Amino acid sequence: MSSDDSFFSDDKGSDRGSESDHEEKPDVGGLGLKVVDIPTGSQGSRRDRSLSDSNSDYSDGESQLSTQRTRETPSPRRRRRKKRSTVTLKDGSVLDLTPPDELLPLCQKKARYYTSKKQTDNAIREWTRYTALCRLVYGNEHWKLAEGYVYLAHAYLTLRGLAPQAQAHSETARTIMLNGLHTSESDESKSQLMGTLLLMYYVLGRALTILKKYPEAEQNLVKAERVSQELSKMSSEKRSSRRMQLDIDIAIALAKLYAKQQKHALGAGFYEKAIRLTEEQYGSDSPELIPIYQDMGRLEQSKKDMANHDRATDHFLQAHSIAVSRFSGQSEEVAETAHALALAYSESATAEAETAAEQYLNESLGIRQVLFGPHHAKTISTQDDLCKLLIRTDRVDEAVSLLKTLITSKSATFGDLSAEVGEANKLYGSILMSQGQLERALKFFKKSHNIESNLYGPSHRKTKATQQTIDMLLQSPMLAAKEGQTRAGQLKSRPRFNATVGQSTPLGSTGKIAFE
């Protein structure tokens, strides 16, 4: 339904037919949506056609004349709509007097443009204006107003990641959709109305998933899937690319919801459905498949002791293969998938898997050093994982050399008193402690403890754990003796404490001596 169509009216004298001509369907798809079908072929229209046939000579001549006038010059009304009405005030500001029904499609076009360009503030501002204009044009109970709220909720969710706002606007749209009585003049308008309902349930389901309200989220996402099935059955429904993408998004949302609930079988089933729909829409080597394959790998890894690491690695390998085939060799997409694949290989405790993990970590590190430099967070993250892999494979000297570089890079990137520097110092201290260099290890553990005390406070679990390690090191005879000598030297260097305090007057004196 276009923005120029009039909203539903209860006027009995409407030329759309009497109440007996309306075919009411109180519930569409079992979702509580009340829709009234208004048939286009009424008796009144047939009567009008018979009258026009009796005066065919006049009507044909008039129609030809009107057609000729329309082709020669546009009507004055059309010319007036193309020109926006503005008034300049005394202070120089311009007041726009364009009617809301003419501003509505322009506002929607601008909002979609800003959304596609990821211009968050502009997009949300335009969707807010669009919702206000829908209220002015259609009223408080029309489904077009619900559509405005749904678009606004979708913008808050996808552009800003604000689930509470998305939930609030979606629930407002649901109240309008389910409590009102909406008109449907054709299958096309009914399709648009159902499309609004589909997007509403999807946005609400995703928002509730983020807010960890899993039962309610599942109910709404299942309803979204049911509405999509109802839409597919409609004869006039054309599965546009936007509709097919929404079906993919619903499948992914359900898969992530079940993954959070540790329902692995259901989650895997919906991920497979998302892959099938994505391949139908974009092809078998589409970049859109990369995050889906990676999520499937993580879902398999989340089974912990029951996880099939070979199957998980295959999913990450499939994602990396698509990235290599679709992007250049020195791209962040290739570096990201190589890093994820290396971590998947490192989950397997075999020599072949560890060799493959090191290979892909070096590949990712080389790309990121070229793209971002040595002090970027992504480069440091890759080096961190490579260092841990070197320690696990007993290549301590290489790990220590890389760790020294890491501490310098983390200090330059995150700051000397950052959590990243604290973890690096703690790791270095652990390596030195395993080599028997207890004195040097104590030095780095104290650095880590100082950072954690400043960041988290002395009562935090990380600070307490580091303090326990320091106390354990101090229990060794060598460090205990050195610590005792250090404390004795500190005591000698302090000035001797004198408990005697000089008095200006004797005890019991009245104090007059001081003034004499």
Side-chain angles (χ1 to χ4, degrees):
M1 184 180 292
S2 65
S3 58
D4 293 330
D5 293 338
S6 59
F7 59 89
F8 177 70
S9 175
D10 291 331
D11 187 7
K12 295 182 180 181
S14 174
D15 58 355
R16 293 183 178 179
S18 62
E19 292 181 356
S20 60
D21 296 331
H22 296 175
E23 181 183 354
E24 182 175 352
K25 295 184 179 180
D27 195 354
V28 176
L31 299 171
L33 183 64
K34 301 174 183 178
V35 180
V36 173
D37 288 336
I38 302 179
T40 57
S42 63
Q43 294 179 358
S45 62
R46 288 195 295 269
R47 185 166 53 250
D48 294 338
R49 284 198 298 270
S50 63
L51 289 174
S52 63
D53 290 340
S54 63
N55 299 318
S56 59
D57 295 337
Y58 174 80
S59 60
D60 290 342
E62 184 68 19
S63 62
Q64 292 176 3
L65 181 60
S66 62
T67 303
Q68 184 178 2
R69 289 176 180 174
T70 304
R71 290 177 180 176
E72 290 176 356
T73 58
S75 63
R77 187 178 181 183
R78 290 185 179 179
R79 285 201 304 269
R80 188 164 58 252
R81 285 192 175 184
K82 289 181 180 179
K83 186 176 180 180
R84 297 180 64 175
S85 303
T86 58
V87 174
T88 303
L89 303 180
K90 292 182 180 180
D91 58 355
S93 60
V94 179
L95 181 62
D96 192 350
L97 299 179
T98 307
D101 60 334
E102 296 180 19
L103 288 175
L104 191 61
L106 300 176
C107 182
Q108 185 180 31
K109 185 176 180 180
K110 289 173 64 177
R112 285 179 174 173
Y113 172 78
Y114 290 135
T115 302
S116 64
K117 298 298 182 181
K118 304 297 182 183
Q119 298 183 19
T120 302
D121 294 337
N122 292 333
I124 291 180
R125 183 178 66 249
E126 291 301 323
W127 284 126
T128 305
R129 290 184 65 234
Y130 178 79
T131 305
L133 290 171
C134 284
R135 187 185 299 277
L136 292 173
V137 175
Y138 296 103
N140 292 328
E141 299 179 356
H142 198 272
W143 67 270
K144 271 290 188 179
L145 178 59
E147 182 185 61
Y149 276 110
V150 170
Y151 285 149
L152 183 59
H154 188 262
Y156 270 112
L157 184 67
T158 57
L159 297 179
R160 282 188 176 170
L162 298 177
Q165 285 83 346
Q167 178 190 0
H169 291 308
S170 298
E171 288 178 346
T172 302
R174 183 176 62 182
T175 301
I176 297 171
M177 293 291 287
L178 301 184
N179 293 344
L181 186 64
H182 311 288
T183 60
S184 174
E185 299 177 359
S186 63
D187 287 344
E188 182 179 358
S189 62
K190 187 186 295 184
S191 174
Q192 293 176 357
L193 191 151
M194 296 286 287
T196 300
L197 195 68
L198 170 63
L199 183 61
M200 180 195 74
Y201 281 125
Y202 164 70
V203 173
L204 188 54
R206 274 194 60 190
L208 291 170
T209 302
I210 296 173
L211 296 173
K212 298 182 179 180
K213 300 177 181 179
Y214 298 139
E216 299 175 38
E218 183 178 1
Q219 291 175 4
N220 284 278
L221 289 174
V222 169
K223 287 180 180 179
E225 190 180 29
R226 194 186 309 167
V227 174
S228 179
Q229 294 173 358
E230 292 290 332
L231 270 171
S232 301
K233 296 177 183 178
M234 296 178 64
S235 58
S236 63
E237 167 66 5
K238 296 179 180 179
R239 287 177 62 84
S240 62
S241 59
R242 187 178 300 175
R243 265 273 291 115
M244 293 190 70
Q245 181 59 50
L246 189 54
D247 287 343
I248 296 170
D249 293 339
I250 292 171
I252 294 174
L254 279 167
K256 290 183 177 180
L257 172 64
Y258 289 129
K260 290 179 181 294
Q261 294 177 301
Q262 299 297 313
K263 298 178 180 179
H264 301 102
L266 289 172
F270 278 102
Y271 274 130
E272 291 173 357
K273 178 182 178 180
I275 289 176
R276 175 172 50 81
L277 293 175
T278 304
E279 289 178 345
E280 291 176 2
Q281 177 68 8
Y282 302 106
S284 59
D285 61 343
S286 168
E288 283 78 7
L289 289 168
I290 293 176
I292 303 177
Y293 276 118
Q294 290 180 333
D295 286 341
M296 286 190 71
R298 296 187 188 98
L299 178 64
E300 184 64 35
Q301 289 175 341
S302 66
K303 296 179 182 179
K304 297 181 180 179
D305 295 338
M306 302 296 294
N308 187 334
H309 294 293
D310 292 337
R311 185 184 303 165
T313 303
D314 289 340
H315 293 315
F316 285 104
L317 183 60
Q318 184 70 22
H320 183 60
S321 301
I322 294 173
V324 171
S325 65
R326 295 301 298 268
F327 301 99
S328 64
Q330 296 295 320
S331 64
E332 169 55 19
E333 290 81 5
V334 176
E336 192 275 330
T337 54
H339 191 183
L341 179 58
L343 296 180
Y345 271 117
S346 64
E347 293 289 331
S348 301
T350 61
E352 294 82 2
E354 289 173 346
T355 302
E358 183 181 356
Q359 172 190 344
Y360 286 110
L361 279 174
N362 285 323
E363 178 185 353
S364 177
L365 179 60
I367 296 172
R368 284 174 169 172
Q369 283 178 334
V370 172
L371 292 177
F372 308 118
H375 298 314
H376 194 272
K378 291 184 177 181
T379 306
I380 292 173
S381 174
T382 312
Q383 288 177 321
D384 219 353
D385 291 327
L386 180 58
C387 183
K388 293 175 183 178
L389 179 64
L390 292 173
I391 295 172
R392 192 163 61 248
T393 54
D394 296 329
R395 296 156 65 181
V396 180
D397 294 337
E398 296 179 45
V400 168
S401 177
L402 180 58
L403 193 54
K404 290 179 180 178
T405 306
L406 262 176
I407 293 176
T408 304
S409 300
K410 288 184 176 182
S411 297
T413 305
F414 305 110
D416 293 332
L417 295 178
S418 61
E420 290 79 6
V421 175
E423 290 296 327
N425 282 314
K426 188 183 296 185
L427 181 60
Y428 198 4
S430 300
I431 296 174
L432 294 173
M433 186 171 61
S434 65
Q435 293 177 336
Q437 303 181 41
L438 302 184
E439 187 175 357
R440 293 185 62 195
L442 180 62
K443 174 184 175 182
F444 283 96
F445 274 113
K446 284 184 175 181
K447 287 183 178 180
S448 178
H449 183 268
N450 179 47
I451 293 172
E452 290 171 347
S453 298
N454 283 279
L455 287 177
Y456 311 119
S459 300
H460 194 270
R461 58 180 180 82
K462 288 187 176 181
T463 311
K464 289 182 177 180
T466 308
Q467 183 62 53
Q468 290 176 359
T469 306
I470 293 173
D471 294 340
M472 182 188 67
L473 288 172
L474 290 175
Q475 288 178 0
S476 64
M478 181 179 66
L479 287 181
K482 288 188 176 182
E483 189 73 12
Q485 293 175 1
T486 303
R487 288 183 179 179
Q490 291 175 351
L491 290 175
K492 287 181 181 180
S493 62
R494 291 179 182 177
R496 187 174 180 181
F497 177 73
N498 189 1
T500 304
V501 180
Q503 296 179 351
S504 58
T505 58
L507 292 175
S509 173
T510 59
K512 295 181 179 179
I513 300 176
F515 298 97
E516 292 178 356

